[in-house]
């Protein structure tokens, strides 16, 4: 018959062997993220450049609109 000490010892041995197996699997997994980092950096740079161009274009349009508004004069006819 299986006693409590044997069950406890079996549980500990099983846990240790699973832990050892997990460590072996973790050591064998290598993920190379250099390509991923380069891709993310390129995408981020392109997005930032696009946003910068859009902001410059909006600012230019606002300046042009302000120039047109300031150059317009209200002409009132003289009723002589």
């Amino acid at each position: 018959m299986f006693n409590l000490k044997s069950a406890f010892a079996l549980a500990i041995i099983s846990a240790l062997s699973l832990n050892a197996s997990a460590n072996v699997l973790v050591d064998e997994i290598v993920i190379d993220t250099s390509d991923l980092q380069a891709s993310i950096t390129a995408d981020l740079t392109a997005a930032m450049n696009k946003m910068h161009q859009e902001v410059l274009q909006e600012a230019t349009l606002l300046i042009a609109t302000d120039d047109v508004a300031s150059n317009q004069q209200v002409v009132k006819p003289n009723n002589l």
Side-chain angles (χ1 to χ4, degrees), residues 16-29:
L16 290 175
S17 66
L18 286 175
N19 190 18
S21 296
N23 286 338
V24 169
L25 292 176
V26 170
D27 290 341
E28 293 175 1
I29 297 174

Side-chain angles (χ1 to χ4, degrees), residues 10-79:
L10 183 62
I12 289 177
I13 292 171
S14 297
L16 290 175
S17 66
L18 286 175
N19 190 18
S21 296
N23 286 338
V24 169
L25 292 176
V26 170
D27 290 341
E28 293 175 1
I29 297 174
V30 176
I31 299 173
D32 183 16
T33 60
S34 59
D35 292 338
L36 180 63
Q37 183 178 1
S39 174
I40 290 172
T41 302
D43 290 345
L44 181 61
T45 302
M48 293 296 287
N49 286 337
K50 182 180 177 185
M51 289 172 50
H52 182 72
Q53 290 300 320
E54 289 174 355
V55 169
L56 285 178
Q57 185 178 12
E58 289 176 11
T60 303
L61 290 175
L62 288 174
I63 291 170
T65 303
D66 287 345
D67 287 345
V68 168
S70 66
N71 287 335
Q72 291 178 348
Q73 296 178 357
V74 177
V75 178
K76 294 182 180 180
N78 280 338
N79 290 335

